[in-house]
Amino acid sequence: MNYFEHVGKYFMMLGQVFKAPQKFRVFWDALFREIEQLGLKSIGIIGFISFFIGGVIALQTALNISDPLIPKMLIGFATKRSIILEFAPTFCSIILAGKVGSYITSSIGSMRVTEQIDALEIMGVNSLNYLVLPKIIATVLFYPFLIILGMFLGIFGGWAAGKATNMFFEADYISGIQYDFDPYLIVYALIKTVIFAFIIATVPSYHGYYVKGGSLGVGKASTQSVVWTIVIIVIANYFLTQMLLT
């Protein structure tokens, strides 16, 4: 199957996802289950990585500012901009693509190879709506909160690194964070996050739903879904940056 066929099947799948919704109570239960699986269980990894990456960015910036004429507040400014513009929305989304994408593909793929999806279809249930729509809504609604948490912990990690190493003063770092703050950058990051969340929910679902070849096929589909989700996120990031910042 060539790439154009995959693209066509993907958009046909999306058409079925948003058609013939299930009973509200069934959908509501599925939505909260997906928020827990895809969102709440990702808080730990996002918080941990954000904190230490923020510290690394601050320390590397401090090490590269050796000229005494360059104001030290640029450490806080560079850390803030790096985390808000790219690290939090893009890098965290790539991490989530690996963690969440493989889970989505394996869970839906296992249902496909064990014929549970066929059973849903026989009962007259729109399986794509039942399985995929709660995942889309859960990620699109919850991931902006994860990214905001990542921004906060990343900037806090930079401050903590400075306190621990004494490589720069706390007042300089805070001044850099406050300097030239543009609220639109937060909006830009959240717009990217929502689009990336949609990709993270739908691309792995596509690979899981159309998996073939039993349990070995599920493993192969999980790997392919993570790779393609990351590739699409990187490409989308390029075009979104061009459209929203230039």
Side-chain angles (χ1 to χ4, degrees), residues 88 143-153 186 190 193:
Y143 282 5
F145 295 101
L146 273 182
I147 298 309
I148 290 173
L149 176 66
M151 291 178 188
F152 173 78
L153 289 177
I186 304 289
L190 294 180
T193 299

Side-chain angles (χ1 to χ4, degrees), residues 48-191:
F48 177 82
I49 292 177
S50 298
F51 179 83
F52 284 100
I53 290 294
V56 169
I57 292 173
L59 292 179
Q60 288 185 348
T61 306
L63 289 170
N64 284 281
I65 297 180
S66 56
D67 192 331
L69 297 178
I70 298 177
K72 297 298 182 183
M73 76 170 193
L74 286 179
I75 298 170
F77 179 77
T79 302
K80 174 193 68 176
R81 282 295 178 96
S82 299
I83 289 172
I84 292 176
L85 287 175
E86 281 306 314
F87 169 74
T90 306
F91 191 67
C92 286
S93 293
I94 289 174
I95 294 168
L96 291 168
K99 178 184 180 296
V100 172
S102 59
Y103 164 77
I104 291 175
T105 303
S106 60
S107 61
I108 296 179
S110 297
M111 293 182 68
R112 169 61 74 186
V113 299
T114 56
E115 300 181 351
Q116 295 180 55
I117 292 178
D118 296 331
L120 289 172
E121 296 286 352
I122 290 171
M123 291 187 293
V125 176
N126 181 350
S127 58
L128 280 169
N129 178 272
Y130 176 73
L131 295 172
V132 180
L133 186 60
K135 292 177 173 58
I136 294 174
I137 295 177
T139 54
V140 168
L141 290 181
F142 195 82
Y143 282 5
F145 295 101
L146 273 182
I147 298 309
I148 290 173
L149 176 66
M151 291 178 188
F152 173 78
L153 289 177
I155 294 172
F156 178 73
W159 172 84
K163 290 285 286 186
T165 60
N166 292 320
M167 292 186 64
F168 49 86
F169 294 114
E170 177 181 356
D172 291 334
Y173 185 79
I174 294 174
S175 296
I177 293 172
Q178 296 172 338
Y179 176 73
D180 193 27
F181 178 73
D182 185 359
Y184 176 72
L185 298 181
I186 304 289
V187 176
Y188 157 78
L190 294 180
I191 291 173

